């Protein structure tokens, strides 16, 4: 466990463009039972991040909004009921839009939405994966109803247009 009482972050205290981003020092959030405290090694930029920044009308000096949802890092503290991770585990995840983001040196996240980082992948590469993978999965499996069973998909095909972006390239 690391002794951290405050976190350095990049966030906003008002809505706007990139000019409203600033360095902040925020208190370390309290860990709930299933939370882990992650030292951030890399994070990714997604459209949701600038949408949060531009729509941060309720942000203020006393209630800053921290963007950042895709991240990779190292577990440095565990909530009381966390059993699927240990200190030092390398992890990656897409965060929770209802909680502060991960544009910070440390981040608190529910361990139940976190995965272990692939060992042959860098933190930077791992941070770029979660949201695009989840979006492709939800679109194809949840919304289109494509079965996960290989036999059910035998001799079937799908046309993915366009496939050059993040989600499309993952879907292919």
């Amino acid at each position: 466990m690391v002794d951290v009482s405050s976190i350095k972050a990049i966030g906003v205290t008002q809505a706007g463009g990139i000019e409203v981003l600033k360095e902040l020092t925020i208190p370390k959030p309290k860990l709930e039972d299933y939370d882990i405290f992650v030292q951030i090694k890399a994070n990714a930029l997604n459209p949701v991040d600038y949408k949060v920044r531009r729509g941060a009308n309720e942000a203020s000096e006393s209630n800053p909004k921290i963007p950042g949802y895709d991240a990779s890092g190292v577990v440095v503290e565990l909530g009381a009921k966390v059993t699927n991770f240990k200190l030092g585990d390398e992890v990656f995840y897409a965060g929770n839009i209802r909680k502060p983001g991960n544009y910070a040196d440390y981040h608190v996240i529910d361990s139940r939405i976190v995965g272990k980082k692939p060992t042959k992948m860098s933190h930077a590469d791992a941070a770029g994966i979660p949201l695009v993978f989840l979006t492709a999965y939800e679109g194809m499996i949840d919304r289109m109803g494509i079965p996960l069973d290989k036999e059910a998909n035998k001799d079937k095909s799908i046309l993915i247009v366009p496939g050059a972006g993040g989600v499309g390239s993952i879907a292919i």
Side-chain angles (χ1 to χ4, degrees), residues 33-45:
D33 285 343
Y34 292 99
D35 287 343
I36 56 176
F37 193 45
V38 177
Q39 181 181 24
I40 300 298
K41 297 295 185 180
N43 48 34
L45 179 64

Side-chain angles (χ1 to χ4, degrees), residues 6-142:
S6 62
I7 297 171
K8 289 186 181 188
I10 301 295
V12 297
T13 56
Q14 65 185 41
I18 60 171
E19 73 279 356
V20 300
L21 288 169
K22 59 183 178 179
E23 187 173 330
L24 303 165
T25 301
I26 59 174
K28 175 187 171 187
K30 178 183 176 289
L31 268 69
E32 300 296 330
D33 285 343
Y34 292 99
D35 287 343
I36 56 176
F37 193 45
V38 177
Q39 181 181 24
I40 300 298
K41 297 295 185 180
N43 48 34
L45 179 64
N46 287 293
V48 68
D49 299 318
Y50 77 79
K51 290 174 183 173
V52 166
R53 183 188 73 235
R54 288 197 172 155
N57 296 323
E58 69 283 358
S60 65
E61 290 292 333
S62 62
N63 183 35
K65 296 299 173 196
I66 312 299
Y69 298 93
D70 280 353
S72 180
V74 178
V75 177
V76 294
E77 190 175 336
L78 304 168
K81 294 185 178 178
V82 175
T83 59
N84 51 337
F85 295 103
K86 63 183 185 314
L87 297 179
D89 279 350
E90 294 184 325
V91 296
F92 71 135
Y93 56 89
N96 180 343
I97 193 130
R98 291 184 269 309
K99 294 193 174 195
N102 59 47
Y103 285 2
D105 53 358
Y106 292 90
H107 188 234
V108 173
I109 187 76
D110 187 324
S111 64
R112 296 169 292 188
I113 61 169
V114 174
K116 290 189 179 175
K117 180 185 80 63
T119 56
K120 293 185 179 183
M121 189 175 282
S122 71
H123 282 285
D125 289 343
I129 289 177
L131 194 55
V132 294
F133 268 72
L134 286 170
T135 304
Y137 181 91
E138 288 173 357
M140 295 174 74
I141 307 306
D142 295 345

